[in-house]
Amino acid sequence: MVVHDADARRGLARECALAGIDAAHPATVVRDAVARDGDTLRIADATFALDDYDDVIVLGGGNAASQVAAALEDALGDALSGGVVVTDDPAETERVEVLPGDHPVPSERGVDSTRALCEAADAVDERTLVLAVITGGASALLPAPTEGLSLGDLRATTDALLDSGATIHEVNAVRKHCSALKGGRFATRLAPARVATLVFSDVVGDDLSVIGSGPTVPDPSTYADALAVLDDYDVTVPEAVRAHLEAGRDGEREETPGTDDSAFERVSTHVLATNRTAVDAAITRAREAGYETMVLSTRVRGEACEAAKTHVAVAEEALATGEPLDPPCVVVSGGECTVTVRGDGEGGPNLEFTLSAALELGEDTALCAVDTDGIDGATDAAGAVVDADTLSDRLAARRALRANDAFPALDDAGALVETGATGTNVNDLRVLVVG
Ligand SMILES: O=C(O)[C@H](O)CO
């Protein structure tokens, strides 16, 4: 039954967003995609004969990596020997060692944990099946500075890139060329083991070479691409980083491995969850509530507060003309918006998205936007749910947007969605309920 009051609309927007997060949780995803039947292991459409291996181990990293490891322990039982994952969101595991790292900026303990991961990788042989778990956040959680660079260099470079407005494809082109593990180099290290990479994507369009900086897949980007990113976005990095990238461009450093590298012959990649997983679940929840539904796109990107206005425009059009859908309806989108940081406030893309929308939304519409990992920007909130009545002081809200200070404004309005770390990461999810 469709309900028409503002509370119910906000409630439904929030419920659909939470349903999306739940559907992308590793426990749910791995239960559906991975199963052991005697000596056969099924991962999505592929099968592996466990008899061919002496050891099956989990190696990897990312915000959701330990949840994936715990779910793999359940799915494989005693066929799984152990392994190491690095994460900032530890889950309880029995055989896989969970080591700490930090995100979005790499840390000393992340370097130590990544060293332990590499030691485990160095111990494999051709009778090892490695389940390489790569989820969003792996780039920061698995710092392995290449020779000649320090953790300080990586931290300064990451900070500067994250504030520059560069896309994740561009940010990771630089990170891959400063790392001993990213951009396919982990696959080189794992040879001659058989590697099945299990991916949870937080990248718009699911480019495997970008998710977590693609440690086990060929890298199409080059040192020259990395330098172009620094120049295009006017990013200042430590001298050692620029010198390293220039040496690479001039042929003095080995390029990241490409498709012709034999290391990839024994690697298969299985994308287990993407933004679409969350979007589809949000749509299902809206249909159950009796609403007409539409996926706007899973690839919405760009400056958060501008993308928000496009979503408001979609709601206005639906109310005015019944296009693209007749209200009552629910429009869902995914993707990843960015914020070009100008102020020094507290916020994140989904908080800016909702605050910007709250300034424009008319009656009869509610909007929820969340980061599915539960942590928008560096705040404690996943996002917020807003409508035309959310803001009591619109001037202050505009000031907050200009200062990139959306968190306190939405907190004061009681609009925050606080889930805590969710155990997954499939990017941003937005639900627009048009009454
Ligand atoms: O870790 C990363 O590089 C981002 O989360 C994209 O996957």
Side-chain angles (χ1 to χ4, degrees):
M1 188 194 61
V2 174
V3 282
H4 292 283
D5 69 273
D7 280 354
R9 271 193 297 273
R10 282 196 310 272
L12 179 63
R14 184 192 164 92
E15 259 176 51
C16 291
L18 296 181
I21 293 174
D22 277 354
H25 193 280
T28 313
V29 171
V30 171
R31 196 180 50 228
D32 290 347
V34 181
R36 176 187 168 197
D37 182 9
D39 284 335
T40 303
L41 172 64
R42 178 182 67 80
I43 302 176
D45 295 336
T47 51
F48 299 80
L50 293 171
D51 277 353
D52 291 348
Y53 307 100
D54 295 332
D55 285 306
V56 181
I57 60 171
V58 174
L59 297 178
N63 305 121
S66 67
Q67 297 285 352
V68 180
L72 287 171
E73 285 185 347
D74 285 347
L76 272 84
D78 59 10
L80 185 65
S81 335
V84 177
V85 292
V86 184
T87 189
D88 57 349
D89 183 11
E92 232 171 85
T93 52
E94 277 168 24
R95 273 153 288 153
V96 178
E97 197 178 355
V98 176
L99 297 177
D102 290 281
H103 178 261
V105 180
S107 63
E108 191 67 58
R109 62 181 188 160
V111 171
D112 292 343
S113 300
T114 306
R115 200 171 293 126
L117 176 77
C118 288
E119 277 162 20
D122 292 344
V124 301
D125 61 29
E126 67 282 352
R127 286 197 52 88
T128 311
L129 172 61
V130 177
L131 305 179
V133 172
I134 301 300
T135 80
S139 295
L141 287 158
L142 298 177
T146 194
E147 217 184 310
L149 298 186
S150 66
L151 171 65
D153 293 330
L154 292 194
R155 286 176 62 87
T157 303
T158 308
D159 266 333
L161 284 166
L162 292 182
D163 282 356
S164 71
T167 66
I168 190 67
H169 292 66
E170 294 164 330
V171 169
N172 284 357
V174 179
R175 297 202 273 204
K176 283 185 272 191
H177 287 87
C178 296
S179 164
L181 179 150
K182 304 183 196 333
R185 290 192 157 119
F186 195 49
T188 326
R189 191 153 200 153
L190 288 170
R194 175 81 174 84
V195 180
T197 300
L198 311 186
V199 176
F200 277 58
S201 170
D202 68 335
V203 167
V204 174
D206 308 321
D207 183 336
L208 298 175
S209 69
V210 176
I211 303 162
S213 292
T216 63
V217 296
D219 180 26
S221 74
T222 62
Y223 283 101
D225 294 333
L227 281 165
V229 172
L230 300 186
D231 294 342
D232 289 353
Y233 289 88
D234 208 7
V235 177
T236 306
V237 293
E239 193 38 50
V241 171
R242 185 163 272 279
H244 167 75
L245 296 176
E246 285 174 353
R249 178 202 53 199
D250 297 342
E252 295 160 25
R253 302 268 189 282
E254 205 180 336
E255 199 32 282
T256 46
T259 41
D260 55 348
D261 197 298
S262 60
F264 301 115
E265 284 165 13
R266 284 173 63 78
V267 179
S268 59
T269 303
H270 313 270
V271 180
L272 300 191
T274 67
N275 189 246
R276 187 83 209 192
T277 312
V279 165
D280 284 348
I283 289 278
T284 301
R285 176 66 198 97
R287 284 196 189 137
E288 284 164 5
Y291 282 72
E292 287 297 310
T293 60
M294 192 186 98
V295 176
L296 189 59
S297 169
T298 56
R299 295 163 186 247
V300 173
R301 51 198 185 270
E303 201 62 34
C305 55
E306 296 306 322
K309 291 177 195 162
T310 305
H311 284 63
V312 173
V314 169
E316 288 169 351
E317 193 67 38
L319 284 164
T321 70
E323 299 282 358
L325 273 188
D326 241 338
C329 60
V330 171
V331 177
V332 177
S333 83
E336 183 173 48
C337 287
T338 40
V339 169
T340 307
V341 178
R342 296 193 176 84
D344 60 356
E346 212 184 337
N350 290 283
L351 295 167
E352 292 221 352
F353 190 102
T354 43
L355 187 56
S356 168
L359 283 162
E360 307 262 339
L361 279 173
E363 294 303 317
D364 299 329
T365 309
L367 171 78
C368 181
V370 291
D371 188 330
T372 55
D373 71 3
I375 300 157
D376 193 40
T379 70
D380 288 337
V385 57
V386 296
D387 63 13
D389 299 327
T390 298
L391 300 174
S392 53
D393 183 347
R394 306 176 86 78
L395 269 181
R398 284 187 203 286
R399 267 199 305 277
L401 260 188
R402 279 197 298 275
N404 302 118
D405 205 21
F407 179 90
L410 291 162
D411 193 10
D412 288 349
L416 295 177
V417 174
E418 289 165 296
T419 56
T422 60
T424 192
N425 182 0
V426 290
N427 240 326
D428 298 340
L429 178 62
R430 311 166 201 100
V431 181
L432 193 55
V433 179
V434 188

